[in-house]
Amino acid sequence: GAVVSQHPSRVICKSGTSVKIECRSLDFQATTMFWYRQFPKQSLMLMATSNEGSKATYEQGVEKDKFLINHASLTLSTLTVTSAHPEDSSFYICSARDMRGSSYEQYFGPGTRLTVT
Amino acid sequence: KQEVTQIPAALSVPEGENLVLNCSFTDSAIYNLQWFRQDPGKGLTSLLLIQSSQREQTSGRLNASLDKSSGRSTLYIAASQPGDSATYLCAVPLTGGKLIFGQGTELSVKP
């Protein structure tokens, strides 16, 4: 299957600072990527859809000025958590949709554990 | 509105047992369904994808079935092993690719 990477895998930052998380599709191009967050013992919650060359589409209740998404190339999307607070501490996972063939299968990155102190 | 439900929420079995995980969805107008595995603190690994035109898919000891008309999918794991212990998630896509996930089944296989 296809490979999606995320960087960093873990990050600790101080309250009020900003953190950037990268999501890359390594062996395929992805016009669409998705960003999820996951709290302990819960399922994934979609935050936004990242579209290459256009603005991201945010889910209801997700602050677009706080979670900045940039999809500048067909293999890279970034999520920047601005002015981070302890309640932003979570596990952030991205996925990329493989449009080759007809299956449109989604592949997930390994996740980024964000801790805001 | 599409909703995905998985039962049971947790399952503990002895090694070697065959087991079935269940997934149901409310809107049968789907074009595929994916099963994923998630280990603690890790991302998701895609296990099987079933297209809407298919009834089942197999990969090794895993077999996933899909019954669109009844809104159900099952994941069958044969001869379970301790290494199968993980959370299993099913997901269906909306138009545009957004995935709707079930809450997952946490599987523990005891040696």
Side-chain angles (χ1 to χ4, degrees):
Chain A
V3 178
V4 174
S5 70
Q6 271 184 252
H7 178 80
S9 57
R10 290 180 177 272
V11 58
I12 301 172
C13 71
K14 292 189 176 180
S15 190
T17 62
S18 295
V19 173
K20 180 185 284 188
I21 303 170
E22 292 185 349
C23 177
R24 292 181 186 273
S25 56
L26 297 186
D27 51 359
F28 66 101
Q29 294 182 333
T31 54
T32 305
M33 292 184 176
F34 302 90
W35 287 96
Y36 298 82
R37 69 186 295 182
Q38 185 178 36
F39 292 105
K41 298 292 186 179
Q42 294 188 24
S43 193
L44 282 74
M45 183 190 78
L46 179 67
M47 298 175 65
T49 303
S50 173
N51 302 297
E52 188 268 336
S54 65
K55 291 183 179 180
T57 305
Y58 291 82
E59 295 300 300
Q60 192 172 8
V62 177
E63 298 175 60
K64 61 182 180 182
D65 294 330
K66 180 169 185 60
F67 298 100
L68 301 179
I69 291 173
N70 184 283
H71 194 153
S73 79
L74 287 171
T75 58
L76 174 64
S77 175
T78 60
L79 168 67
T80 301
V81 182
T82 63
S83 187
H85 290 285
E87 57 264 31
D88 298 324
S89 298
S90 189
F91 192 55
Y92 293 87
I93 309 177
C94 70
S95 73
R97 197 175 175 198
D98 186 352
M99 301 297 283
R100 297 172 297 181
S102 60
S103 68
Y104 298 167
E105 190 164 352
Q106 284 199 34
Y107 296 93
F108 283 75
T112 296
R113 173 74 59 193
L114 170 63
T115 303
V116 184
T117 62
Chain B
K1 178 187 173 186
Q2 180 71 275
E3 294 181 358
V4 180
T5 304
Q6 289 184 247
I7 53 172
L11 183 62
S12 182
V13 300
E15 181 176 5
E17 268 201 16
N18 302 324
L19 56 100
V20 175
L21 308 181
N22 297 289
C23 173
S24 61
F25 44 95
T26 54
D27 186 349
S28 61
I30 61 171
Y31 58 87
N32 66 42
L33 181 145
Q34 275 188 265
W35 282 94
F36 296 91
R37 168 187 173 137
Q38 185 176 30
D39 292 285
K42 305 290 185 183
L44 274 65
T45 300
S46 179
L47 296 175
L48 289 163
L49 179 146
I50 313 177
Q51 299 282 20
S52 61
S53 58
Q54 298 173 319
R55 285 202 168 264
E56 63 178 63
Q57 279 281 3
T58 298
S59 175
R61 293 182 294 108
L62 305 180
N63 176 280
S65 68
L66 175 64
D67 184 342
K68 269 187 61 176
S69 60
S70 66
R72 294 176 190 276
S73 177
T74 61
L75 179 67
Y76 175 83
I77 302 177
S80 59
Q81 302 171 357
D84 295 330
S85 298
T87 295
Y88 291 81
L89 295 154
C90 69
V92 296
L94 301 179
T95 303
K98 294 195 295 187
L99 288 180
I100 305 299
F101 284 89
Q103 288 298 103
T105 294
E106 187 175 353
L107 173 64
S108 175
V109 181
K110 307 291 186 185

